[in-house]
Amino acid sequence: MKLWVQDGLEANAPMPSDPVLTALKYLIFFPQMLTYILSFLPLSDQKEASLVSRAWYCAAQNALRETNVRYNIPVSSASLSAIKNLGLRGISHISLTNLDGSPASHQVLQSVAYHLGPHLESLCLGGGSPTEASFLALILGCPVLRTLDLSGCNSLFTSGTLLAQPETAQCVRKALSGLRDLNLACLRDLTDLSFNHLSGCFPSLERLSLAYCHLTFELGPTWGSITPQVSSPSQLSFHNLLQFVKERAGRLRALDLSGTGLPPEALQALGQVTGLQLEELSLHSCRDLSSEAVATLCHQQPGITSLDLSGCSELTDRALLAVSRGLQHLRHLSLRKLQRLTDAGCAALGALHELQSLDMAECCLVSGRELAKVLGSVHRAPLALTSLRLAYCSSLKDASVLSMIPALGPSLKVLDLSSCVALTNQTVQAICTYLVHLSVLHLAWCKELQDWGLLGLKEPSEEPMLSPQLPQEAENQAPDPQEPNSESQGPSLLMLQALQELDLTACSKLTDASLAKNSGYHWAGMQAASSVGCGHVSWYQHGSRQALSSTAASGDLHPVPLCGRG
């Protein structure tokens, strides 16, 4: 049953004859209530509702808003009207691109502060070059800001005077007392002094990123001392960071120190801070870390639920064993590019009963045999994985994947097997049989995949069956699943009804014809991309959550032709 809601300006409009709907005709809803009601409707019905009146249009637009949707706004005078409209819709998450110190950028920041500032919760200025004055004016107009991304905004820290004035710092501290998440990644000019000035304005900080900042490490007993040291105006030291962590230990929950060159001694000093209870820790590309250091960390911080050790090239199976023993509540684990990790380490994953996301891409020694045993074990509760990434695992073969897939279960939504070049159509058909709830499937560069495997047809004979008199185009024709001679012998991609993203880039044995056959079923509106025939194709769901249009309302997959040609 469709829901009809009376707009206050159309009280005399005819209503449907249904008694329940008729009873609604005397009800007049406030915009917030109308937005709430429309949020329960399918996207197609929300589109229809947006055509009723301006009030309904705004309510439908607001109903589309999601807390994890960020609107990217290019900084130019042409964006001023869009910023005003977004303000009317109550948009609370934005990212500003092409930001510099020009008058036009200053004007845009003023508009953002006026129209969006009162309800802005997340602001990203990553890579921009705002002036200190325009930046301060902007954040002072955002009293409910919870997330601030200043990654790569080096212009703010070049002079070293940002928030150096006590009066200015006090105003910012009062305005942004509720800030929880601060991203200071990739800042080459960040120093102890500027970091202290900025972080001192955010007393409620829970998440901090200093990824790829140049941290200096001075070996010695001073790391564990409580003697205050002078903050450096020229460098960002680990000692200063450690002092900050000690002061905020009771509130700090997430740290990102990726790419900082963190040595084992520094990690140990960080983990043993009294009162610190980290939940998320990212150490991507900290290549000096050892397995022993990871084991000590797991003992010191057993409450970690998300851990990224990708690119820590010295880690071995011992590190994974320590993680499985010490972090019983781990939900997200990333182990990309650990070249020393083997199947023996994977056997320990069975102890992580709450694990939801596992990334082992580019672990070239992992064949998947032990992982399949862990997933299929009857002696322990199965892992309820929602995301599994095994891209570039060159040792992965059909046999191990076929053993693994049935045990993954309906909870799995994301599967990435890109560049597992040994996988064949058997893997695809197993995916289509057991993982029908997938929303993301990446099979790029799996060059053994063929048309009949994707369509679930009988494997064709290797001997040529075409007569010499047939046209040349017939040689590239895939079997037609609607023709009598094309008997469906097994599952196909058509069974993945929930699929939103499919990547078949560089699967060179696939043809335009077979992909077009797939597009004619439940993926209404699918068209074969012009580059499919040469083995380059990526399909992605249209960004239907950002606009009420006929394309968005369908929620279907659409191809994106790639520039590269086979």
Side-chain angles (χ1 to χ4, degrees):
M1 179 181 70
K2 288 189 177 181
L3 178 63
W4 293 68
V5 183
Q6 183 78 6
D7 185 272
L9 299 178
E10 301 177 355
N12 297 321
M15 296 294 292
S17 58
D18 188 289
V20 176
L21 300 180
T22 304
L24 294 173
K25 72 177 182 178
Y26 299 108
L27 298 179
I28 299 177
F29 291 95
F30 290 106
Q32 295 87 346
M33 187 178 296
L34 182 57
T35 294
Y36 179 74
I37 293 173
L38 293 180
S39 67
F40 291 96
L41 298 180
L43 195 59
S44 57
D45 287 347
Q46 291 186 29
K47 173 184 175 293
E48 293 181 12
S50 70
L51 303 177
V52 172
S53 67
R54 173 173 289 275
W56 281 57
Y57 175 81
C58 292
Q61 290 285 312
N62 289 335
L64 278 176
R65 284 196 300 117
E66 294 180 339
T67 56
N68 60 345
V69 173
R70 174 184 292 171
Y71 288 79
N72 294 320
I73 303 175
V75 175
S76 68
S77 56
S79 299
L80 294 177
S81 59
I83 292 172
K84 182 178 180 180
N85 291 333
L86 291 175
L88 294 175
R89 291 170 51 190
I91 299 304
S92 57
H93 302 268
I94 67 168
S95 175
L96 299 178
T97 59
N98 306 323
L99 183 61
D100 54 28
S102 65
S105 292
H106 181 68
Q107 186 180 14
V108 168
L109 294 183
Q110 285 182 322
S111 180
V112 169
Y114 181 78
H115 294 289
L116 297 173
H119 41 76
L120 198 62
E121 296 180 10
S122 175
L123 174 63
C124 176
L125 305 178
S129 302
T131 63
E132 293 182 23
S134 60
F135 167 70
L136 291 175
L138 172 60
I139 61 174
L140 287 173
C142 304
V144 296
L145 198 64
R146 295 295 179 266
T147 300
L148 179 60
D149 186 347
L150 299 179
S151 57
C153 294
N154 290 292
S155 62
L156 293 176
F157 301 93
T158 301
S159 66
T161 60
L162 181 66
L163 298 174
Q165 297 297 325
E167 298 82 4
T168 305
Q170 184 177 1
C171 292
V172 173
R173 180 184 177 92
K174 182 178 180 181
L176 298 183
S177 59
L179 193 78
R180 302 288 191 271
D181 189 338
L182 179 62
N183 188 344
L184 300 177
C186 305
L187 293 176
R188 63 174 180 268
D189 296 318
L190 187 64
T191 65
D192 288 349
L193 207 56
S194 56
F195 173 77
N196 292 344
H197 288 158
L198 187 61
S199 61
C201 295
F202 311 133
S204 302
L205 203 62
E206 297 177 356
R207 304 169 60 88
L208 174 66
S209 174
L210 292 174
Y212 298 96
C213 289
H214 182 63
L215 269 177
T216 60
F217 302 92
E218 297 179 1
L219 298 178
T222 56
W223 283 354
S225 67
I226 59 174
T227 304
Q229 293 189 358
V230 178
S231 300
S232 172
S234 60
Q235 64 182 6
L236 181 65
S237 66
F238 177 76
H239 181 274
N240 187 77
L241 172 62
L242 191 60
Q243 289 299 119
F244 167 80
V245 173
K246 290 178 180 179
E247 294 171 1
R248 306 293 184 91
R251 185 176 289 272
L252 202 60
R253 292 292 176 265
L255 272 177
D256 186 351
L257 299 177
S258 300
T260 58
L262 195 73
E265 299 84 0
L267 182 60
Q268 180 179 354
L270 189 66
Q272 68 185 10
V273 170
T274 303
L276 182 63
Q277 297 180 355
L278 288 178
E279 296 176 1
E280 301 178 23
L281 180 61
S282 181
L283 301 172
H284 189 287
S285 297
C286 291
R287 297 181 174 86
D288 294 330
L289 292 182
S290 63
S291 298
E292 292 74 15
V294 172
T296 302
L297 172 71
C298 295
H299 177 72
Q300 296 169 330
Q301 298 292 326
I304 291 178
T305 60
S306 178
L307 181 62
D308 186 352
L309 297 174
S310 301
C312 299
S313 53
E314 295 300 315
L315 300 186
T316 64
D317 292 335
R318 293 183 59 188
L320 185 50
L321 181 61
V323 168
S324 64
R325 289 177 176 176
L327 305 181
Q328 294 297 309
H329 301 290
L330 195 66
R331 297 191 183 98
H332 306 282
L333 178 61
S334 181
L335 303 170
R336 297 176 69 98
K337 296 184 180 180
L338 299 191
Q339 306 296 336
R340 300 187 179 188
L341 199 64
T342 68
D343 285 328
C346 295
L349 290 172
L352 300 175
H353 302 296
E354 299 180 21
L355 193 63
Q356 298 175 4
S357 174
L358 177 62
D359 189 346
M360 300 183 70
E362 300 183 65
C363 296
C364 58
L365 298 181
V366 174
S367 69
R369 289 191 298 269
E370 290 299 326
L371 184 58
K373 292 179 181 179
V374 168
L375 292 171
S377 175
V378 297
H379 301 292
R380 60 173 66 95
L383 299 180
L385 289 178
T386 59
S387 176
L388 178 61
R389 299 184 182 274
L390 298 172
Y392 300 94
C393 291
S394 54
S395 300
L396 210 60
K397 302 293 191 297
D398 274 336
S400 55
V401 176
L402 292 176
S403 301
M404 186 189 312
I405 287 177
L408 288 172
S411 62
L412 193 73
K413 305 301 180 185
V414 178
L415 180 61
D416 188 354
L417 298 174
S418 300
S419 293
C420 296
V421 294
L423 300 184
T424 68
N425 295 303
Q426 293 182 357
T427 291
V428 174
Q429 294 185 346
I431 291 172
C432 297
T433 300
Y434 297 101
L435 305 180
V436 295
H437 299 286
L438 277 181
S439 58
V440 176
L441 176 60
H442 289 185
L443 296 171
W445 295 91
C446 293
K447 296 189 174 183
E448 296 302 314
L449 302 187
Q450 300 179 27
D451 295 329
W452 62 269
L454 268 64
L455 293 173
L457 303 178
K458 182 179 180 180
E459 183 175 3
S461 172
E462 296 181 359
E463 297 181 1
M465 300 298 294
L466 295 177
S467 171
Q469 287 78 20
L470 292 178
Q472 180 67 26
E473 291 79 7
E475 296 181 4
N476 295 324
Q477 292 285 343
D480 190 341
Q482 295 181 341
E483 294 180 358
N485 293 333
S486 299
E487 297 183 6
S488 180
Q489 298 296 319
S492 70
L493 288 179
L494 304 177
M495 300 180 67
L496 305 183
Q497 298 286 328
L499 199 63
Q500 296 179 358
E501 181 178 316
L502 173 63
D503 189 352
L504 295 173
T505 302
C507 295
S508 54
K509 294 186 179 181
L510 301 180
T511 68
D512 291 357
S514 66
L515 299 179
K517 300 299 182 185
N518 274 297
S519 67
Y521 289 75
H522 67 276
W523 297 331
M526 173 75 80
Q527 299 175 6
S530 58
S531 56
V532 173
C534 56
H536 292 263
V537 58
S538 293
W539 296 341
Y540 298 94
Q541 184 184 28
H542 191 277
S544 57
R545 303 300 292 179
Q546 297 188 15
L548 278 173
S549 63
S550 57
T551 301
S554 66
D556 298 317
L557 291 169
H558 293 267
V560 179
L562 301 184
C563 296
R565 298 277 174 162

